């Protein structure tokens, strides 16, 4: 089965939560060194919950679709629940099988969101 | 077709492979696999030590490869051939053994922005470690080294100075596919400063072109077996004997010594001084079979075949994608080997390679170990198709047709 399923391509062509939040509590960038892809993630937090999130950047269909779906998924969620998310949660959202190389593309958004939450925690401390 | 696909067992499998990544590593003909198999099944003994026939044969086959390589690249003596793990290790050997002893603060190390990381990072780090200046020759927007005046005459006065100690340059770019006029460049470097030590990275040249180290007049030349139908795990360093003799060993241990005492050790002579420990014996023997295979096919035929295929592919790509397509290095005035690296507007290279992979078409996507070049070109990444003797017009047609599908999926 192709990994380029309709759902993935829909998110790639019209990503959700695209852009930069005007007001945010965290702002981080992550990159995939093997292809130069970059994602910038901004998010807003109220009472330990992600109330809003947006991303910009350039990437392949898999990383953009993953960013689109994952930002949808984490919106409204407790920080703690998001921190506990794993590779399997991302793969479940994408609903495809990935080779190790492409897995790096799919996991870049999760890496970004985790980094954003971590930066938040260190500022709160 | 230049060479029977059936010579390459991986291509005769049922999986209908379209292999267009030969610049990363070439496929291996049965003759090479057989030569290595024979070592492992009939005479797999260590070399240079055993007094029994198996070991004598292993030593003889291993050392014979040295002579074959010397003849293949026009070296004066087989003692100038050193077996390493790969071209990268060969460059590192020179950077450590020659570089650390001869390069000082204020000296200059010169390389180019189109190098593979293998011929870039060791020099960058040598410069950082010694305090030498690291000078990187830029390219024009066409992808040619910025060392020619408007009449095409070499101008290296701004680059090579009396302070230049090392000049390292590729023979063929693994991204642009261009063949640098290395012989002329070396001559121009020597005319300005005859003391400069010149290393040529010929990893992308030796598989396709006749290379003669004496004709080039370089000091060191490196390449890898696995890009020329040989196995992975073996690289070659050729160096001028007088330089090699005056260099310190890179790795210490067994097989590289004549005498070991508690208070001192005496090194073996060149080339053994640089081959510490048990080498990849089967791999070196496989390399000998690879050279024979290349010679039987004929390098001239190989490069002509690749050139035709690459030109054909470029033409078909332009037809299919018009101005959405950009092929890097296409407008260089230099001759090309069978490498076509490109971008298509709206298509991420990873997606292109990913979609083609689903059709068993193997191309490369990313920086191809040439990040400074991609940064200079302003390309985040490129897709690359590369051809070799076993590539066919059908491979190119299938590639372009499936690329069209990828384009319609992604845009």
């Amino acid at each position: 089965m192709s990994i380029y399923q309709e759902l993935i391509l829909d998110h790639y062509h019209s990503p959700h939560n695209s852009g930069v939040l005007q007001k945010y509590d965290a702002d981080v960038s992550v990159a995939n060194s093997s292809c130069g892809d970059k994602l910038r993630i901004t998010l807003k937090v109220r009472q330990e919950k992600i109330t809003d999130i947006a991303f910009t950047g350039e990437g392949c269909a898999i990383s953009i679709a993953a960013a689109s779906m994952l930002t949808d998924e984490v919106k409204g969620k407790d920080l703690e629940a998001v921190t506990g998310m794993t590779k399997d949660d991302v793969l479940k959202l994408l609903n495809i099988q990935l080779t190790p190389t492409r897995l790096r593309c799919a996991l870049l958004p999760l890496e970004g969101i985790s980094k954003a939450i971590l930066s938040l925690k260190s500022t709160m401390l | 077709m230049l060479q029977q696909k059936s010579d390459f067992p991986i291509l005769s499998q049922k999986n209908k492979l379209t292999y267009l990544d030969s610049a990363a590593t070439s496929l291996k003909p049965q003759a090479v696999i057989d030569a290595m198999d024979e070592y492992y099944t009939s005479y797999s003994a260590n070399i240079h030590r055993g007094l029994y026939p198996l070991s004598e044969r292993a030593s003889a086959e291993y050392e014979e490869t040295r002579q074959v390589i010397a003849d293949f690249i026009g070296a004066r003596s087989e003692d100038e051939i050193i077996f390493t793990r790969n071209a990268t290790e060969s460059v590192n050997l020179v950077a450590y053994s020659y570089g650390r002893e001869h390069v000082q603060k204020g000296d200059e190390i010169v390389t180019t922005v189109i190098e593979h990381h293998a011929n870039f990072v060791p020099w960058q780090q040598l410069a950082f470690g010694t305090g030498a200046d690291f000078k990187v020759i830029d390219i024009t927007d066409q992808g040619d080294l910025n060392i020619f005046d408007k009449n095409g005459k070499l101008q290296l006065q701004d680059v090579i100075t009396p302070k230049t100690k090392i000049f390292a340059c590729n023979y063929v770019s693994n991204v642009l596919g261009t063949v640098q006029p290395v012989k002329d460049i070396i001559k121009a470097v020597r005319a300005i400063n005859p003391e400069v030590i010149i290393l040529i990275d010929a990893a992308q040249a030796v598989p396709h072109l006749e290379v003669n180290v004496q004709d080039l007049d370089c000091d060191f030349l490196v390449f890898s077996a696995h890009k020329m139908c040989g196995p992975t795990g073996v690289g070659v360093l050729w160096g001028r004997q007088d330089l090699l003799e005056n260099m310190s060993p890179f790795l210490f241990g067994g097989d590289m010594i004549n005498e070991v005492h508690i208070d001192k050790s005496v090194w073996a002579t060149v080339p053994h001084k640089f081959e510490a420990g048990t080498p990849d014996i089967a791999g070196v023997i496989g390399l000998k079979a690879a050279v024979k295979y290349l010679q039987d096919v004929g390098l001239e035929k190989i490069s002509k075949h690749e050139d035709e295929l690459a030109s054909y592919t470029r033409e078909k790509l332009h037809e299919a994608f018009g101005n959405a397509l950009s092929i890097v290095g296409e407008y260089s005035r230099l001759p090309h080997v069978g490498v076509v690296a490109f971008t298509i507007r709206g298509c991420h290279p990873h997606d292109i390679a990913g979609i083609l992979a689903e059709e068993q078409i193997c191309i490369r996507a990313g920086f191809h170990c040439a990040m400074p070049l991609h940064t200079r070109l302003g390309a985040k990444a490129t897709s690359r198709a590369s051809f070799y003797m076993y590539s066919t017009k059908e491979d190119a047609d299938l590639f372009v047709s499936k690329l069209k599908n990828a384009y319609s999926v992604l845009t």
Side-chain angles (χ1 to χ4, degrees):
Chain A
M1 193 180 78
S2 171
I3 60 170
Y4 293 89
Q5 297 297 305
E6 215 176 307
L7 179 68
I8 304 257
L9 292 169
D10 284 349
H11 275 274
Y12 172 54
H13 290 133
S14 330
H16 304 177
N17 314 307
S18 161
V20 178
L21 296 179
Q22 279 195 326
K23 285 186 176 171
Y24 49 77
D25 299 303
D27 176 7
V28 297
S29 294
V30 280
N32 182 346
S33 62
S34 76
C35 56
D37 286 356
K38 280 182 191 136
L39 283 183
R40 178 181 171 196
I41 290 166
T42 46
L43 58 81
K44 217 166 155 179
V45 177
R46 287 294 170 272
Q47 293 170 335
E48 296 288 302
K49 269 188 207 307
I50 296 179
T51 52
D52 205 359
I53 183 163
F55 78 96
T56 55
E58 283 179 72
C60 64
I62 303 304
S63 67
I64 297 299
S68 173
M69 290 173 173
L70 195 63
T71 46
D72 272 353
E73 178 72 15
V74 301
K75 219 188 282 182
K77 274 210 165 139
D78 285 344
L79 290 180
E80 205 181 317
V82 177
T83 311
M85 287 182 85
T86 64
K87 141 188 135 179
D88 293 333
D89 297 311
V90 177
L91 286 176
K92 216 178 279 172
L93 284 175
L94 291 167
N95 196 25
I96 47 172
Q97 300 273 331
L98 289 174
T99 58
T101 329
R102 296 314 294 276
L103 198 58
R104 290 177 67 186
C105 311
L107 294 180
L108 189 64
L110 181 63
E111 187 192 325
I113 293 172
S114 308
K115 200 175 152 189
I117 293 174
L118 213 63
S119 79
L120 211 62
K121 286 190 171 154
S122 48
T123 26
M124 290 197 300
L125 281 172
Chain B
M1 190 188 324
L2 178 64
Q3 205 54 22
Q4 290 300 324
K5 285 197 186 247
S6 58
D7 280 2
F8 297 81
I10 200 165
L11 292 176
S12 57
Q13 286 167 6
K14 288 177 232 125
N15 53 9
K16 301 242 183 245
L17 196 64
T18 304
Y19 187 76
L20 299 175
D21 198 16
S22 293
T25 195
S26 73
L27 301 178
K28 320 304 174 201
Q30 189 64 51
V32 169
I33 300 165
D34 285 348
M36 294 170 68
D37 258 8
E38 202 195 340
Y39 165 74
Y40 281 124
T41 51
S42 307
Y43 61 102
S44 82
N46 212 330
I47 52 168
H48 300 154
R49 290 162 235 220
L51 298 168
Y52 46 92
L54 282 193
S55 175
E56 304 272 14
R57 183 175 169 204
S59 303
E61 296 271 357
Y62 181 89
E63 289 303 325
E64 198 182 288
T65 309
R66 218 186 287 281
Q67 185 63 58
V68 166
I69 296 295
D71 294 341
F72 186 55
I73 61 167
R76 282 174 202 88
S77 153
E78 76 270 23
D79 292 343
E80 295 182 327
I81 305 298
I82 293 156
F83 294 119
T84 60
R85 279 190 307 142
N86 43 42
T88 300
E89 187 176 290
S90 300
V91 177
N92 275 278
L93 193 160
V94 177
Y96 274 91
S97 292
Y98 184 87
R100 304 247 160 185
E101 280 183 16
H102 293 87
V103 176
Q104 292 166 353
K105 192 172 174 9
D107 289 342
E108 294 171 351
I109 299 170
V110 180
T111 186
T112 86
V113 78
I114 66 174
E115 300 308 313
H116 187 283
H117 295 161
N119 199 29
F120 192 91
V121 185
W123 304 121
Q124 178 196 54
Q125 294 304 310
L126 175 63
F128 292 170
T130 55
D133 289 335
F134 185 53
K135 288 167 78 174
V136 180
I137 298 174
D138 196 13
I139 47 170
T140 63
D141 291 338
Q142 284 72 42
D144 289 332
L145 291 176
N146 221 346
I147 50 175
F148 301 92
D149 67 14
K150 57 182 186 299
N151 302 316
K153 207 171 159 274
L154 275 165
Q155 284 293 349
L156 281 155
Q157 268 80 4
D158 298 340
V159 183
I160 305 295
T161 75
K163 288 182 182 169
T164 309
K165 276 278 161 71
I166 291 172
F167 173 70
C169 179
N170 70 92
Y171 199 139
V172 172
S173 158
N174 71 319
V175 179
L176 306 164
T178 48
V179 182
Q180 315 310 317
V182 274
K183 188 180 172 183
D184 295 339
I185 295 174
I186 292 168
K187 212 168 150 189
V189 171
R190 296 236 187 271
I192 299 168
N193 180 351
E195 306 294 316
V196 177
I197 293 299
I198 299 173
L199 180 141
I200 300 299
D201 170 6
Q204 297 287 347
V206 172
H208 317 278
L209 313 167
E210 296 236 7
V211 172
N212 185 303
V213 292
Q214 289 189 67
D215 183 50
L216 288 177
D217 190 28
C218 49
D219 297 300
F220 296 103
L221 184 131
V222 306
F223 55 99
S224 281
H226 73 95
K227 293 194 201 287
M228 51 189 287
C229 292
T232 56
V234 177
V236 173
L237 167 66
W238 168 83
R240 255 176 41 209
Q241 194 155 356
D242 56 318
L243 285 170
L244 293 174
E245 276 169 1
N246 288 309
M247 278 158 56
S248 298
F250 174 43
L251 299 169
F252 301 97
D255 225 22
M256 52 75 66
I257 39 82
N258 269 347
E259 295 170 37
V260 177
H261 308 280
I262 286 176
D263 59 344
K264 67 165 185 179
S265 293
V266 180
W267 313 138
T269 52
V270 168
H272 305 290
K273 180 170 80 175
F274 295 106
E275 292 180 11
T278 298
D280 186 345
I281 302 168
V284 168
I285 290 166
L287 172 59
K288 181 170 59 173
V291 170
K292 184 171 185 306
Y293 188 81
L294 289 183
Q295 286 172 328
D296 287 349
V297 180
L299 285 170
E300 214 168 300
K301 279 192 198 157
I302 293 173
S303 54
K304 186 166 171 278
H305 173 72
E306 285 174 12
D307 188 33
E308 282 168 9
L309 263 184
S311 303
Y312 175 77
T313 306
R314 281 192 283 266
E315 198 179 300
K316 291 283 162 193
L317 286 173
H318 280 298
E319 264 173 45
F321 301 105
N323 59 14
L325 172 86
S326 166
I327 300 176
V328 297
E330 186 180 16
Y331 300 110
S332 163
R333 293 167 299 163
L334 300 169
H336 288 75
V337 298
V339 171
V340 181
F342 60 93
T343 56
I344 297 175
R345 203 166 42 240
C347 299
H348 191 286
H350 266 191
D351 290 323
I352 289 176
I355 293 174
L356 292 181
E358 291 176 351
E359 305 285 345
Q360 303 304 319
I361 300 172
C362 312
I363 66 159
R364 179 91 179 249
F367 297 126
H368 324 300
C369 296
M371 217 162 151
L373 173 60
H374 280 79
T375 307
R376 170 61 181 83
L377 293 169
K380 274 181 288 300
T382 54
S383 307
R384 181 185 72 185
S386 52
F387 305 95
Y388 208 12
M389 63 183 87
Y390 38 73
S391 312
T392 59
K393 221 169 147 186
E394 289 71 37
D395 293 337
D397 286 333
L398 189 69
F399 161 64
V400 176
S401 115
K402 296 297 178 187
L403 194 54
K404 283 188 208 164
N405 293 354
Y407 186 73
S408 57
V409 167
L410 293 170
T411 57

Short mmCIF file of all heavy atoms in Angstrom, two decimals, chain A residues 1-4 9 12-13 32-37 58-62 101-102 105, chain B residues 346-355 358 365-367 371 380-381 408-411:
data_model
loop_
_atom_site.label_atom_id
_atom_site.label_comp_id
_atom_site.label_asym_id
_atom_site.label_seq_id
_atom_site.Cartn_x
_atom_site.Cartn_y
_atom_site.Cartn_z
N MET A 1 0.84 -1.21 0.00
CA MET A 1 0.00 0.00 0.00
C MET A 1 0.88 1.26 0.00
O MET A 1 1.85 1.33 0.73
CB MET A 1 -0.90 -0.01 1.24
CG MET A 1 -2.00 1.01 1.17
SD MET A 1 -3.05 0.97 2.65
CE MET A 1 -2.04 1.84 3.83
N SER A 2 0.51 2.19 -0.84
CA SER A 2 1.28 3.43 -0.90
C SER A 2 1.13 4.21 0.40
O SER A 2 0.07 4.18 1.03
CB SER A 2 0.77 4.28 -2.06
OG SER A 2 1.36 5.56 -2.00
N ILE A 3 2.18 4.92 0.78
CA ILE A 3 2.05 5.77 1.97
C ILE A 3 1.38 7.10 1.58
O ILE A 3 1.00 7.88 2.44
CB ILE A 3 3.42 6.03 2.65
CG1 ILE A 3 4.40 6.72 1.70
CG2 ILE A 3 3.99 4.76 3.20
CD1 ILE A 3 5.67 7.20 2.41
N TYR A 4 1.25 7.32 0.28
CA TYR A 4 0.64 8.58 -0.19
C TYR A 4 -0.88 8.43 -0.32
O TYR A 4 -1.45 8.50 -1.39
CB TYR A 4 1.30 9.05 -1.48
CG TYR A 4 2.73 9.46 -1.21
CD1 TYR A 4 3.77 8.52 -1.29
CD2 TYR A 4 3.05 10.74 -0.78
CE1 TYR A 4 5.07 8.87 -0.98
CE2 TYR A 4 4.35 11.09 -0.47
CZ TYR A 4 5.36 10.16 -0.57
OH TYR A 4 6.65 10.51 -0.26
N LEU A 9 -2.40 13.18 1.66
CA LEU A 9 -2.26 14.20 0.61
C LEU A 9 -3.18 15.39 0.88
O LEU A 9 -2.80 16.54 0.61
CB LEU A 9 -2.53 13.58 -0.77
CG LEU A 9 -1.46 12.58 -1.22
CD1 LEU A 9 -1.93 11.81 -2.45
CD2 LEU A 9 -0.13 13.27 -1.49
N TYR A 12 -1.49 17.42 3.38
CA TYR A 12 -0.29 18.03 2.77
C TYR A 12 -0.68 19.25 1.93
O TYR A 12 -0.07 20.31 2.02
CB TYR A 12 0.43 16.98 1.91
CG TYR A 12 1.58 17.53 1.09
CD1 TYR A 12 2.62 18.25 1.68
CD2 TYR A 12 1.64 17.30 -0.29
CE1 TYR A 12 3.67 18.73 0.92
CE2 TYR A 12 2.69 17.77 -1.05
CZ TYR A 12 3.70 18.49 -0.45
OH TYR A 12 4.74 18.97 -1.20
N HIS A 13 -1.73 19.08 1.12
CA HIS A 13 -2.12 20.17 0.23
C HIS A 13 -2.81 21.31 0.98
O HIS A 13 -2.66 22.47 0.60
CB HIS A 13 -3.00 19.64 -0.90
CG HIS A 13 -2.23 18.79 -1.88
ND1 HIS A 13 -2.68 17.57 -2.33
CD2 HIS A 13 -1.03 18.98 -2.47
CE1 HIS A 13 -1.78 17.06 -3.17
NE2 HIS A 13 -0.77 17.89 -3.25
N ASN A 32 15.31 18.49 10.24
CA ASN A 32 15.75 17.14 9.88
C ASN A 32 17.01 17.29 9.04
O ASN A 32 16.95 17.75 7.90
CB ASN A 32 14.63 16.45 9.09
CG ASN A 32 14.98 15.03 8.70
OD1 ASN A 32 16.12 14.62 8.77
ND2 ASN A 32 13.97 14.29 8.28
N SER A 33 18.14 16.90 9.61
CA SER A 33 19.41 17.19 8.93
C SER A 33 19.60 16.40 7.65
O SER A 33 20.40 16.77 6.80
CB SER A 33 20.57 16.92 9.89
OG SER A 33 20.57 15.55 10.24
N SER A 34 18.84 15.32 7.46
CA SER A 34 19.08 14.52 6.26
C SER A 34 18.46 15.15 5.02
O SER A 34 18.84 14.83 3.90
CB SER A 34 18.58 13.09 6.45
OG SER A 34 17.18 13.05 6.34
N CYS A 35 17.49 16.05 5.18
CA CYS A 35 16.89 16.66 3.99
C CYS A 35 16.72 18.17 4.14
O CYS A 35 16.26 18.83 3.21
CB CYS A 35 15.54 16.02 3.68
SG CYS A 35 14.42 16.12 5.07
N GLY A 36 17.09 18.72 5.29
CA GLY A 36 17.02 20.16 5.46
C GLY A 36 15.63 20.67 5.82
O GLY A 36 15.40 21.87 5.86
N ASP A 37 14.69 19.76 6.08
CA ASP A 37 13.35 20.20 6.46
C ASP A 37 13.38 20.94 7.79
O ASP A 37 14.11 20.56 8.70
CB ASP A 37 12.41 18.99 6.58
CG ASP A 37 12.04 18.46 5.22
OD1 ASP A 37 12.45 19.07 4.22
OD2 ASP A 37 11.33 17.44 5.17
N GLU A 58 8.95 24.04 5.92
CA GLU A 58 8.90 23.31 4.66
C GLU A 58 9.27 21.88 4.93
O GLU A 58 10.15 21.59 5.74
CB GLU A 58 9.87 23.94 3.67
CG GLU A 58 9.29 25.21 3.09
CD GLU A 58 10.24 25.85 2.12
OE1 GLU A 58 10.41 25.31 1.02
OE2 GLU A 58 10.82 26.89 2.49
N GLY A 59 8.58 20.99 4.24
CA GLY A 59 8.88 19.58 4.46
C GLY A 59 8.21 18.73 3.41
O GLY A 59 7.47 19.24 2.56
N CYS A 60 8.46 17.46 3.51
CA CYS A 60 7.84 16.54 2.57
C CYS A 60 6.39 16.30 2.99
O CYS A 60 5.95 16.74 4.05
CB CYS A 60 8.61 15.23 2.55
SG CYS A 60 8.59 14.36 4.12
N ALA A 61 5.66 15.59 2.14
CA ALA A 61 4.24 15.34 2.39
C ALA A 61 4.04 14.67 3.74
O ALA A 61 3.09 14.98 4.47
CB ALA A 61 3.67 14.46 1.27
N ILE A 62 4.93 13.76 4.08
CA ILE A 62 4.76 13.01 5.33
C ILE A 62 4.94 13.93 6.55
O ILE A 62 4.15 13.89 7.48
CB ILE A 62 5.76 11.83 5.40
CG1 ILE A 62 5.59 10.90 4.17
CG2 ILE A 62 5.61 11.04 6.69
CD1 ILE A 62 4.19 10.35 3.96
N THR A 101 13.78 5.60 7.54
CA THR A 101 14.16 6.93 7.02
C THR A 101 12.96 7.88 7.01
O THR A 101 13.06 9.03 7.40
CB THR A 101 14.70 6.82 5.58
OG1 THR A 101 15.34 5.58 5.44
CG2 THR A 101 15.63 7.95 5.25
N ARG A 102 11.82 7.35 6.52
CA ARG A 102 10.64 8.22 6.46
C ARG A 102 10.03 8.45 7.84
O ARG A 102 9.31 9.43 8.04
CB ARG A 102 9.58 7.64 5.51
CG ARG A 102 10.01 7.56 4.06
CD ARG A 102 10.68 8.82 3.54
NE ARG A 102 9.87 10.03 3.45
CZ ARG A 102 9.09 10.35 2.45
NH1 ARG A 102 8.94 9.53 1.43
NH2 ARG A 102 8.43 11.49 2.44
N CYS A 105 10.84 11.77 9.12
CA CYS A 105 9.99 12.84 8.59
C CYS A 105 8.73 12.94 9.43
O CYS A 105 8.30 14.02 9.82
CB CYS A 105 9.59 12.58 7.14
SG CYS A 105 10.94 12.12 6.04
N GLY B 346 7.26 22.33 -6.33
CA GLY B 346 6.05 21.74 -5.74
C GLY B 346 6.23 20.30 -5.28
O GLY B 346 5.32 19.72 -4.70
N CYS B 347 7.40 19.73 -5.55
CA CYS B 347 7.62 18.33 -5.15
C CYS B 347 8.85 18.25 -4.24
O CYS B 347 9.96 18.60 -4.66
CB CYS B 347 7.88 17.44 -6.37
SG CYS B 347 6.51 17.41 -7.52
N HIS B 348 8.65 17.77 -3.05
CA HIS B 348 9.78 17.60 -2.14
C HIS B 348 10.59 16.37 -2.59
O HIS B 348 10.01 15.33 -2.91
CB HIS B 348 9.24 17.39 -0.73
CG HIS B 348 10.30 17.45 0.32
ND1 HIS B 348 11.20 16.44 0.51
CD2 HIS B 348 10.59 18.40 1.24
CE1 HIS B 348 12.01 16.77 1.50
NE2 HIS B 348 11.66 17.96 1.96
N PRO B 349 11.93 16.49 -2.63
CA PRO B 349 12.76 15.35 -3.08
C PRO B 349 12.46 14.04 -2.34
O PRO B 349 12.48 12.97 -2.95
CB PRO B 349 14.18 15.83 -2.81
CG PRO B 349 14.10 17.30 -2.90
CD PRO B 349 12.76 17.69 -2.36
N HIS B 350 12.17 14.12 -1.05
CA HIS B 350 11.86 12.90 -0.31
C HIS B 350 10.58 12.25 -0.81
O HIS B 350 10.45 11.02 -0.85
CB HIS B 350 11.71 13.20 1.19
CG HIS B 350 12.97 13.00 1.95
ND1 HIS B 350 13.03 13.00 3.31
CD2 HIS B 350 14.22 12.76 1.51
CE1 HIS B 350 14.28 12.78 3.69
NE2 HIS B 350 15.02 12.64 2.62
N ASP B 351 9.63 13.09 -1.18
CA ASP B 351 8.37 12.53 -1.70
C ASP B 351 8.58 11.90 -3.07
O ASP B 351 8.04 10.84 -3.37
CB ASP B 351 7.30 13.62 -1.77
CG ASP B 351 6.85 14.05 -0.38
OD1 ASP B 351 6.77 13.18 0.51
OD2 ASP B 351 6.58 15.24 -0.18
N ILE B 352 9.38 12.57 -3.89
CA ILE B 352 9.68 12.01 -5.22
C ILE B 352 10.33 10.64 -5.05
O ILE B 352 9.88 9.64 -5.61
CB ILE B 352 10.62 12.96 -6.01
CG1 ILE B 352 9.86 14.22 -6.42
CG2 ILE B 352 11.21 12.25 -7.22
CD1 ILE B 352 10.71 15.26 -7.13
N ALA B 353 11.39 10.60 -4.24
CA ALA B 353 12.10 9.33 -4.04
C ALA B 353 11.18 8.30 -3.39
O ALA B 353 11.24 7.11 -3.71
CB ALA B 353 13.35 9.55 -3.20
N GLY B 354 10.32 8.76 -2.48
CA GLY B 354 9.41 7.85 -1.79
C GLY B 354 8.38 7.23 -2.73
O GLY B 354 8.12 6.03 -2.67
N ILE B 355 7.83 8.06 -3.60
CA ILE B 355 6.82 7.53 -4.54
C ILE B 355 7.48 6.59 -5.56
O ILE B 355 6.96 5.54 -5.88
CB ILE B 355 6.07 8.70 -5.23
CG1 ILE B 355 5.23 9.43 -4.18
CG2 ILE B 355 5.21 8.20 -6.37
CD1 ILE B 355 4.55 10.69 -4.67
N GLU B 358 8.15 3.15 -4.23
CA GLU B 358 7.00 2.24 -4.22
C GLU B 358 6.88 1.47 -5.54
O GLU B 358 6.17 0.48 -5.63
CB GLU B 358 5.73 3.03 -3.92
CG GLU B 358 5.72 3.52 -2.46
CD GLU B 358 4.53 4.40 -2.10
OE1 GLU B 358 3.78 4.78 -3.00
OE2 GLU B 358 4.36 4.68 -0.89
N ALA B 365 17.63 11.04 -2.59
CA ALA B 365 17.09 12.36 -2.30
C ALA B 365 17.79 12.91 -1.07
O ALA B 365 18.04 12.19 -0.12
CB ALA B 365 15.60 12.28 -2.05
N GLY B 366 18.11 14.17 -1.09
CA GLY B 366 18.76 14.79 0.06
C GLY B 366 19.90 15.67 -0.38
O GLY B 366 19.83 16.33 -1.42
N PHE B 367 20.97 15.65 0.41
CA PHE B 367 22.13 16.51 0.10
C PHE B 367 23.26 15.73 -0.58
O PHE B 367 24.25 16.32 -0.97
CB PHE B 367 22.69 17.11 1.39
CG PHE B 367 21.74 18.01 2.12
CD1 PHE B 367 21.44 17.81 3.45
CD2 PHE B 367 21.15 19.08 1.46
CE1 PHE B 367 20.58 18.65 4.12
CE2 PHE B 367 20.28 19.92 2.12
CZ PHE B 367 19.99 19.71 3.46
N MET B 371 26.53 19.17 1.46
CA MET B 371 25.68 20.22 2.02
C MET B 371 26.19 21.62 1.65
O MET B 371 25.37 22.48 1.32
CB MET B 371 25.62 20.06 3.54
CG MET B 371 24.27 20.39 4.09
SD MET B 371 24.10 19.70 5.74
CE MET B 371 22.99 20.91 6.40
N LYS B 380 17.27 23.27 -0.90
CA LYS B 380 17.22 22.58 0.39
C LYS B 380 17.68 21.14 0.22
O LYS B 380 18.37 20.60 1.04
CB LYS B 380 15.82 22.65 0.96
CG LYS B 380 15.61 23.93 1.76
CD LYS B 380 14.25 24.01 2.35
CE LYS B 380 13.21 24.25 1.30
NZ LYS B 380 13.39 25.50 0.56
N ALA B 381 17.27 20.53 -0.85
CA ALA B 381 17.69 19.16 -1.16
C ALA B 381 17.40 18.94 -2.64
O ALA B 381 16.66 19.71 -3.25
CB ALA B 381 16.92 18.17 -0.31
N SER B 408 1.87 14.34 -10.39
CA SER B 408 0.42 14.57 -10.31
C SER B 408 -0.12 14.24 -8.92
O SER B 408 -1.10 14.84 -8.48
CB SER B 408 -0.33 13.83 -11.42
OG SER B 408 -0.04 12.47 -11.34
N VAL B 409 0.52 13.33 -8.21
CA VAL B 409 0.09 13.04 -6.84
C VAL B 409 0.42 14.22 -5.92
O VAL B 409 -0.37 14.60 -5.05
CB VAL B 409 0.79 11.76 -6.31
CG1 VAL B 409 0.62 11.62 -4.81
CG2 VAL B 409 0.27 10.53 -7.03
N LEU B 410 1.59 14.81 -6.14
CA LEU B 410 2.08 15.80 -5.18
C LEU B 410 1.64 17.23 -5.45
O LEU B 410 1.72 18.08 -4.57
CB LEU B 410 3.62 15.76 -5.14
CG LEU B 410 4.22 14.46 -4.57
CD1 LEU B 410 5.72 14.42 -4.81
CD2 LEU B 410 3.92 14.32 -3.09
N THR B 411 1.20 17.51 -6.67
CA THR B 411 0.84 18.91 -6.97
C THR B 411 -0.65 19.06 -7.25
O THR B 411 -1.37 18.09 -7.36
CB THR B 411 1.63 19.45 -8.17
OG1 THR B 411 1.37 18.60 -9.28
CG2 THR B 411 3.11 19.50 -7.90
#
